[in-house]
Amino acid sequence: MKELWNPRIRGLEAYVPGEQPKDRRYIKLNTNENPYPPSPKALEAMREAVCADLRLYPDPECGQLIEALSRRFGLAREQLFVGNGSDEVLAMAFAAFFDPAGLPIIFADISYSFYPVYAAFYGVPTAPVPLREDFSLPVEDFLRPNGGVILCNPNAPTAMALPLAEVERIVAGNPGSVVLVDEAYVDFGGESAVGLIDKYPNLLVVRTTSKSYSLAGLRVGWAMGNEDLIAALNTVKNSFNSYTLDRVALAGAAAAIEDRDYFEECCRRVIATRERSRRELEALGFRVLPSAANFLFAAPPQPDAETVFRRLREEGVLVRYFKKPRIDGFLRISVGTDEEMDGLLAALGRI
Ligand code: PMP
């Protein structure tokens, strides 16, 4: 059946996102979405954008959103790039910075599982660095020769954060490589590397509106870095699709970024619920890794994690389970509302 496929594509194993089931109502704690709605100002801006002029193409330079990010982070427009979710920004960064004929790129062996998928797609060699037994990151192993570095901070799915000083050691120790820091979860307790951008021309920080801005359905992500790195990303984008963001997404994301009070209140609530849930899971005998994200990585005492995952599903609670070496004893549990977490804890009690 694949004889019409490009042979390069035939061999690929694509990323599998967490499920979005429609068969019944679930307590949905499996894809790290925010349990709270987007900013009312963002919703209003999107309504206006729908009624404005969808007949016309959107701004290919995404000026409105770039301006909002520029004000929010104190960066020049030339230091900002936006895309259709941070996954697209990551995909474009792979194309822009990582060389199939170069040295292997390095990232943690336990990290966001899209990185090896992009590497295979672009034919970029990889040399995954094993995390330590306690899932902490061995910084010295990120200081050897490489074709690029990816740090997910806080890491997924472990939820553990790397202190900024350690991130800086890796960025400073790799002047000849792009160090991409994926900060999808940083707003829930990590230390951002954004403040290092003017100091290190090899640093690219990638963010998303999917988690802390409650806009996973809108598909908006962005990158921040030296203007030469941003120019490379624009070259990739404009060789691929001039209009990666539509008018509604541009308006909604810009308004969400500007509504700082609402954003901070949502993050505060998620963090408070996370800490309470962590204590309660520990009281049930779970081993819970320290989390700086909007999810918990937790190992049940018994039965095994895969069984707990299945039985939770039967109980109407979705979490994520990765059948992979070293982490197959854990469940990744997104932080929901307090009521949703009560539902999870009650189901676990029954199991
Ligand atoms: N980075 C990490 C670490 C993630 O977990 C995710 C969400 N799956 C993404 C990037 C992509 O997020 P989005 O494309 O929704 O911005």
Side-chain angles (χ1 to χ4, degrees):
M1 291 302 279
K2 292 187 178 172
E3 60 271 19
L4 296 179
W5 294 28
N6 168 346
R8 210 176 63 73
I9 302 302
R10 269 180 226 159
L12 292 181
E13 209 174 303
Y15 176 76
V16 183
E19 58 181 323
Q20 300 286 349
K22 293 176 187 69
D23 57 330
R24 62 180 270 198
R25 266 184 78 91
Y26 286 96
I27 295 179
K28 195 173 172 302
L29 308 175
N30 67 330
T31 44
N32 296 345
E33 288 136 337
N34 198 306
Y36 302 110
S39 150
K41 292 181 184 161
L43 295 176
E44 186 50 36
M46 288 188 270
R47 273 186 215 105
E48 279 172 22
V50 168
C51 299
D53 210 346
L54 288 181
R55 209 173 39 82
L56 302 177
Y57 280 107
D59 172 9
E61 287 170 7
C62 304
Q64 180 186 10
L65 177 53
I66 295 274
E67 287 291 341
L69 291 166
S70 167
R71 280 192 294 274
R72 167 71 181 77
F73 292 99
L75 294 168
R77 292 175 63 119
E78 296 72 27
Q79 294 174 301
L80 292 157
F81 174 81
V82 296
N84 192 266
S86 59
D87 278 340
E88 185 185 78
V89 176
L90 292 170
M92 291 188 180
F94 266 73
F97 306 121
F98 303 150
D99 181 1
L103 288 174
I105 61 165
I106 55 180
F107 48 80
D109 64 337
I110 299 165
S111 195
Y112 184 32
S113 43
F114 226 137
Y115 306 146
V117 173
Y118 291 130
F121 180 69
Y122 289 112
V124 171
T126 63
V129 174
L131 293 181
R132 295 193 191 97
E133 207 52 50
D134 64 357
F135 300 109
S136 63
L137 189 123
V139 170
E140 49 297 348
D141 291 346
F142 284 78
L143 300 175
R144 52 183 196 225
N146 62 70
V149 179
I150 305 176
L151 295 175
C152 185
N153 192 36
N155 195 19
T158 64
M160 286 168 58
L162 191 65
L164 183 58
E166 309 271 275
V167 174
E168 181 164 8
R169 256 181 84 201
I170 294 172
V171 178
N174 286 287
S177 299
V178 170
V179 178
L180 189 162
V181 186
D182 180 348
E183 294 189 347
Y185 299 104
V186 77
D187 296 320
F188 302 105
E191 289 178 281
S192 176
V194 169
L196 302 176
I197 283 172
D198 285 330
K199 198 167 163 194
Y200 297 103
N202 61 323
L203 170 64
L204 190 76
V205 176
V206 175
R207 294 270 190 102
T208 177
T209 59
S210 295
K211 320 292 180 181
S212 48
Y213 294 88
S214 306
L215 287 171
L218 201 62
R219 313 306 303 131
V220 178
W222 71 96
M224 303 180 272
N226 178 275
E227 58 192 68
D228 290 332
L229 299 185
I230 299 302
L233 289 170
N234 277 311
T235 302
V236 172
K237 178 196 138 177
N238 291 316
S239 306
F240 182 76
N241 176 4
S242 316
Y243 305 109
T244 52
L245 290 182
D246 60 67
R247 286 171 168 267
V248 179
L250 288 171
I257 301 284
E258 268 159 6
D259 194 352
R260 193 86 180 257
D261 292 344
Y262 184 87
F263 159 83
E264 279 169 9
E265 174 59 14
C266 283
C267 292
R268 193 196 59 70
R269 288 168 77 180
V270 169
I271 292 168
T273 304
R274 176 188 75 205
E275 290 309 303
R276 170 181 86 84
S277 307
R278 177 179 60 77
R279 287 191 295 274
E280 299 198 23
L281 286 168
E282 283 172 349
L284 286 173
F286 277 70
R287 172 188 176 202
V288 188
L289 300 189
S291 172
N294 67 336
F295 57 92
L296 292 160
F297 205 49
Q302 44 81 28
D304 62 280
E306 192 172 10
T307 304
V308 177
F309 163 73
R310 277 215 211 89
R311 291 191 45 197
L312 277 175
R313 199 173 197 293
E314 287 159 18
E315 294 271 347
V317 183
L318 288 183
V319 299
R320 193 101 198 251
Y321 172 71
F322 300 95
K323 201 177 178 79
K324 288 188 183 165
R326 298 187 66 189
I327 55 170
D328 57 1
F330 286 82
L331 301 172
R332 194 197 67 188
I333 304 169
S334 309
V335 176
T337 60
D338 278 308
E339 298 72 51
E340 287 173 319
M341 299 316 271
D342 287 342
L344 163 82
L345 292 159
L348 285 173
R350 290 192 292 277
I351 290 167

